[in-house]
Amino acid sequence: MSSEQIMSTLPALDPAGEGYQEAFAAYLAHSDEAAVTRPRLDRIVASLPERLEFIDVGAGFGRTVRWFVDSFAHVVAIEPNLELHHRITLAAPDAEVLGGSILTAQPRLPADLVLCSHILYYVPRQDWQACLNRMASWLSEEGELVVLLQNPDSDLMRLLHRFTGRRFDLAELLPATRDSGWSVVLDTVPSILAAPDLDTALMIFRFFLSGITSVPTDERRPARTRAELTRQLDRHRLDDGGYRMSCTQDVLRLRRR
C-alpha cells in the first residue's frame, strides 16, 4: 500500500480547507507546542539588536505573523498557497504577504529575524540545504534565522515514520552549514501531545500525514491501515481513554559569524 492508499483510508486534508484548520487547531489545543515555543521566540526577538524586518516563511493561517506584527517595523508573510493569503491578511492586516516558495520568494529588505516554523516537512529532503542557504541570504548583518521542526525521535514522528518511511532531522543540516561559515546552534525543546480520545488523536495524525505525504519520495513502507494505526496509538493510550505522546521540537538558530 502506497502513502496515497494510506490516505484513502485516512483521507487527505486540504491545507486551505476547514478540515485542515480544524485538525491544526486540535493539535494546538491538545499540545503544549505554542506554550513552550512562544516564550522562546519572545526571548530571541528581545535579543535582536534591531527589529526592523521580520519574515515568516510558510505563514499558513497567520498565527505567528499575528504574534510578532507589533514587534517589528515591517512584517513579511511568505505563503505559497494563495488561498491562504486572505486568512493571513485577516490575522495581521499590516503584514506584507508574498507568494512563492522559499527558493522563489523575493523579500525586498534584509531581515532581523527569519522564522521557518514546521515547514520543511513540505520540502523535498534534497532541497533542505538550498532552502536554508536561501533563507540565510535574507538576513541582515546581525539577523537570525530560526527553523523549527519536530525531533525525529519524538513519539509522533516515530509513528509517522513507521507509516510513511519519512524521517525529518534538522541535525543533518549542521555539518554543511557550519562549514559554510555560519554560527549555528540546535536546541531540543520537550513538548507533549495529550489527545482526549481516539477521534482527536486520529484527526491530529491526519493533519501531519496530509502534509508529509504531499511531498514525493522514493521511500516505501509495507501496507498500513487505519486499524493498525489505532493499534499503534493504543501504545500511548491512558487509563482515562486519552492518548499521550511526545511531540518534542528541534530549534535551529543560525547567525553570521
Side-chain angles (χ1 to χ4, degrees), residues 52-59 65 69 72 74-79 88 94-99 105-109 111 113 115 138:
L52 301 177
E53 183 88 355
F54 169 53
I55 299 176
D56 187 11
V57 180
V65 174
V69 71
F72 291 83
H74 186 243
V75 169
V76 175
I78 296 175
E79 175 51 57
I88 299 170
D94 293 333
E96 178 184 0
V97 185
L98 299 179
Q106 299 283 344
R108 295 177 292 109
L109 300 174
L113 178 64
L115 177 65
W138 298 337

Side-chain angles (χ1 to χ4, degrees), residues 167-188:
R167 180 177 170 84
F168 306 90
D169 190 354
L170 281 178
E172 295 173 359
L173 292 171
L174 293 178
T177 305
R178 285 172 174 152
D179 289 346
S180 299
W182 293 95
S183 174
V184 58
V185 175
L186 183 65
D187 295 325
T188 298

Side-chain angles (χ1 to χ4, degrees), residues 86 99 109 182 213 255:
H86 74 286
L109 300 174
W182 293 95
T213 55
R255 283 180 178 258

Side-chain angles (χ1 to χ4, degrees), residues 47-67:
S47 73
L48 296 171
E50 292 189 292
R51 291 187 287 277
L52 301 177
E53 183 88 355
F54 169 53
I55 299 176
D56 187 11
V57 180
F61 300 105
R63 178 177 63 104
T64 308
V65 174
R66 186 173 63 246
W67 280 359

Side-chain angles (χ1 to χ4, degrees), residues 221-234:
R221 273 291 183 269
R224 305 295 188 192
T225 64
R226 181 188 178 101
E228 183 175 355
L229 172 57
T230 301
R231 288 195 296 272
Q232 295 283 350
L233 284 170
D234 277 346

Side-chain angles (χ1 to χ4, degrees), residues 2 11 33 55 62 70-71 81 90 105 137 155 168 174 179 186 202 214 221 238 245 249:
S2 69
E33 178 184 299
I55 299 176
D70 294 328
S71 298
N81 189 334
L90 287 173
S137 74
D155 292 334
F168 306 90
L174 293 178
D179 289 346
L186 183 65
L202 289 171
S214 68
R221 273 291 183 269
L238 305 175
M245 292 181 282
Q249 302 172 84

Side-chain angles (χ1 to χ4, degrees), residues 128-195:
W128 277 21
Q129 191 66 53
C131 287
L132 192 74
N133 294 342
R134 174 72 172 168
M135 291 186 290
S137 74
W138 298 337
L139 292 175
S140 64
E141 284 299 316
E142 296 184 286
E144 181 163 337
L145 168 62
V146 179
V147 181
L148 285 83
L149 208 65
Q150 285 209 18
N151 182 281
D153 294 321
S154 71
D155 292 334
L156 184 54
M157 287 293 106
R158 285 178 180 271
L159 183 58
L160 284 161
H161 178 65
R162 284 196 291 270
F163 273 75
T164 67
R166 309 292 179 90
R167 180 177 170 84
F168 306 90
D169 190 354
L170 281 178
E172 295 173 359
L173 292 171
L174 293 178
T177 305
R178 285 172 174 152
D179 289 346
S180 299
W182 293 95
S183 174
V184 58
V185 175
L186 183 65
D187 295 325
T188 298
V189 183
S191 298
I192 292 294
L193 168 68

